[in-house]
């Protein structure tokens, strides 16, 4: 009995000795340090994304007729996730904000609408001129951004995927000035799927296309083709020394060959068009072979075109409101 008591006493003494207490304290501090480090890393990731978010400028082409339907859906879902966002329309936000009665009747004052005096009439044939005026305006009044995203009011953008893609391209060489869904013309990307012009691309565009004679040489009936043709024209006339570090269009498919930018609605890319003949433009116009179903949609997808307002709210809810359970817990053995 005395032997056992002596053993216990020695064990207690050993446990409460200075050296052991020191080891205990070290272990405790290591655990606390790891917990704090994990919390900081999670916060740092969010701050890191927010840092780059502030460098993204988004603008959406719309008109007064669509502001309360398509425009509101864009504004209440993905648009406010950009660093800066504006609508491009003939409607003037300052005019609406000065009149409280008009604000109450239309509810348009809350929308950020770029006050671009040089915008043409709101017709499809003037769309290239509208985009030209917008880009010249943004280059002058919003110069402190790295990327400029153009989208339509029926385009849904997954902004976080766009940011992560753009961040991954920072170290590319040569540096592309245009990103989007590529067509077989190697300078041409889809306007409906949304496209991104880099800071250097916007500088080049503005420095040359403010000249009406140069613009006349590369203008087109379609705004997205106009952008590509004008940038291509600029690359032909610019000094090689000035653009040797640049290239025109950047690659946007993922490592599995799946598209990130989509010029059609989600259902069409997933199910394929109803008229599945090779005469459909989606089969013969794209730069990459046309795929449908799971193979068509990247896990890091950025955009879908022809998205109706109700669909925008539904997609937004699926992405940001519904959480995925832990896959390890949900795996079912077969």
């Amino acid at each position: 009995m005395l032997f056992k008591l002596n053993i216990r006493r020695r064990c207690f003494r050993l446990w409460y000795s200075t050296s052991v207490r020191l080891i205990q304290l070290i272990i405790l501090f290591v655990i606390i340090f790891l917990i704090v480090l994990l919390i900081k890393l999670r916060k740092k990731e969010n701050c890191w994304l927010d840092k780059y978010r502030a460098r993204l400028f988004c603008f959406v082409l719309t008109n007064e007729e669509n502001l309360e339907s398509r425009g509101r859906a864009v504004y209440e879902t993905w648009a406010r996730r950009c660093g800066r966002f504006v609508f491009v329309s003939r409607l003037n936000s300052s005019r609406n904000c000065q009149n409280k009665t008009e604000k109450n009747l239309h509810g348009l004052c809350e929308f950020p609408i770029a006050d671009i005096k040089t915008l043409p009439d709101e017709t499809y044939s003037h769309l290239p001129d509208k985009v030209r005026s917008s880009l010249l305006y943004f280059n002058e009044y919003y110069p402190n951004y790295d990327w400029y995203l153009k989208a339509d009011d029926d385009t849904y953008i997954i902004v976080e995927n766009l940011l992560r893609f753009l961040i991954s391209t920072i170290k590319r060489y040569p540096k592309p000035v245009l990103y989007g869904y590529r067509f077989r013309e190697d300078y041409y990307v889809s306007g409906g799927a949304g496209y991104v012009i880099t800071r250097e691309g916007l500088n080049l565009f503005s420095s040359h296309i403010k000249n009406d004679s140069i613009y006349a040489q590369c203008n087109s009936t379609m705004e997205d083709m106009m952008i590509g043709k004008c940038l291509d024209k600029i690359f032909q006339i610019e000094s090689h020394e000035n653009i040797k570090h640049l290239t025109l269009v950047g690659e946007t498919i993922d490592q599995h060959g799946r598209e990130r930018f989509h010029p059609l609605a989600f259902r069409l890319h997933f199910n394929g068009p109803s008229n599945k003949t090779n005469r459909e433009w989606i089969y013969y116009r794209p730069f990459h072979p046309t795929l449908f179903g799971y193979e068509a949609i990247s896990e890091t997808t950025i955009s879908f075109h022809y998205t109706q307002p109700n669909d925008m709210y539904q997609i937004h809810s699926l992405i940001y409101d519904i959480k995925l359970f832990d896959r390890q817990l949900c795996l079912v053995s077969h």
Side-chain angles (χ1 to χ4, degrees), residues 214-230:
I214 296 178
Y215 178 59
Q217 297 175 44
C218 60
N219 195 6
S220 172
T221 56
M222 296 184 290
E223 59 89 10
D224 46 11
M225 184 168 280
M226 177 275 291
I227 292 294
K229 288 177 69 176
C230 285

Side-chain angles (χ1 to χ4, degrees), residues 33 44 60 108 144 238 249 254:
F33 173 77
K44 186 177 180 181
V60 168
L108 302 177
N144 300 319
E238 258 294 349
V249 180
D254 69 11

Side-chain angles (χ1 to χ4, degrees), residues 53-241:
R53 190 191 305 277
R55 294 158 67 175
L56 174 65
F57 183 96
C58 303
F59 66 99
V60 168
L61 304 186
T62 189
N63 54 52
E64 186 172 356
E65 180 182 337
N66 288 330
L67 262 175
E68 265 303 325
S69 53
R70 294 180 177 183
R72 182 168 293 281
V74 167
Y75 184 64
E76 292 181 348
T77 56
W78 65 266
R80 286 183 282 187
R81 308 184 82 85
C82 298
R84 184 69 178 259
F85 168 80
V86 296
F87 285 111
V88 175
S89 173
R90 282 290 295 273
L91 181 68
N92 188 311
S93 59
S94 61
R95 178 177 67 85
N96 282 278
C97 289
Q98 289 171 0
N99 190 318
K100 293 182 179 179
T101 304
E102 190 173 21
K103 174 183 174 181
N104 293 334
L105 285 174
H106 301 287
L108 302 177
C109 187
E110 65 188 282
F111 298 131
I113 303 171
D115 184 15
I116 306 174
K117 305 297 186 185
T118 56
L119 285 182
D121 294 335
E122 295 281 19
T123 58
Y124 187 79
S125 61
H126 287 119
L127 202 52
D129 297 331
K130 184 176 182 178
V131 172
R132 177 205 185 195
S133 296
S134 301
L135 292 178
L136 293 177
Y137 178 86
F138 297 143
N139 186 64
E140 181 177 357
Y141 292 100
Y142 297 94
N144 300 319
Y145 293 88
D146 291 344
W147 305 291
Y148 296 79
L149 167 74
K150 175 267 169 186
D152 291 342
D153 56 11
D154 60 348
T155 306
Y156 186 90
I157 304 291
I158 304 174
V159 176
E160 286 75 16
N161 283 357
L162 172 62
L163 284 170
R164 288 187 180 275
F165 169 74
L166 292 174
I167 293 166
S168 73
T169 68
I170 289 175
K171 295 182 180 179
R172 284 190 184 180
Y173 186 87
K175 293 180 176 296
V177 300
L178 185 65
Y179 290 103
Y181 179 88
R182 301 177 67 184
F183 285 110
R184 63 182 180 183
E185 298 88 350
D186 58 4
Y187 58 82
Y188 175 29
V189 298
S190 167
Y195 54 78
V196 174
I197 300 179
T198 66
R199 173 72 260 167
E200 289 182 294
L202 184 57
N203 278 336
L204 282 173
F205 182 91
S206 300
S207 62
H208 290 274
I209 305 306
K210 63 183 178 183
N211 185 316
D212 290 338
S213 62
I214 296 178
Y215 178 59
Q217 297 175 44
C218 60
N219 195 6
S220 172
T221 56
M222 296 184 290
E223 59 89 10
D224 46 11
M225 184 168 280
M226 177 275 291
I227 292 294
K229 288 177 69 176
C230 285
L231 285 172
D232 188 47
K233 180 71 176 176
I234 291 166
F235 269 65
Q236 294 173 24
I237 62 179
E238 258 294 349
S239 164
H240 173 71
E241 284 301 312

Side-chain angles (χ1 to χ4, degrees), residues 1 5 19 25 31 43 50 62 78 100 108 127-128 139 157-158 248 255 261 266-268 281 283 289-290 295 327:
M1 191 69 179
L5 285 173
S19 59
L25 285 173
I31 293 172
K43 287 184 178 179
D50 287 339
T62 189
W78 65 266
K100 293 182 179 179
L108 302 177
L127 202 52
N139 186 64
I157 304 291
I158 304 174
L248 186 52
Q255 67 271 27
F261 291 83
F266 171 82
R267 291 182 182 88
L268 287 173
W281 69 266
Y283 288 97
T290 301
E295 293 182 342
R327 293 184 181 183

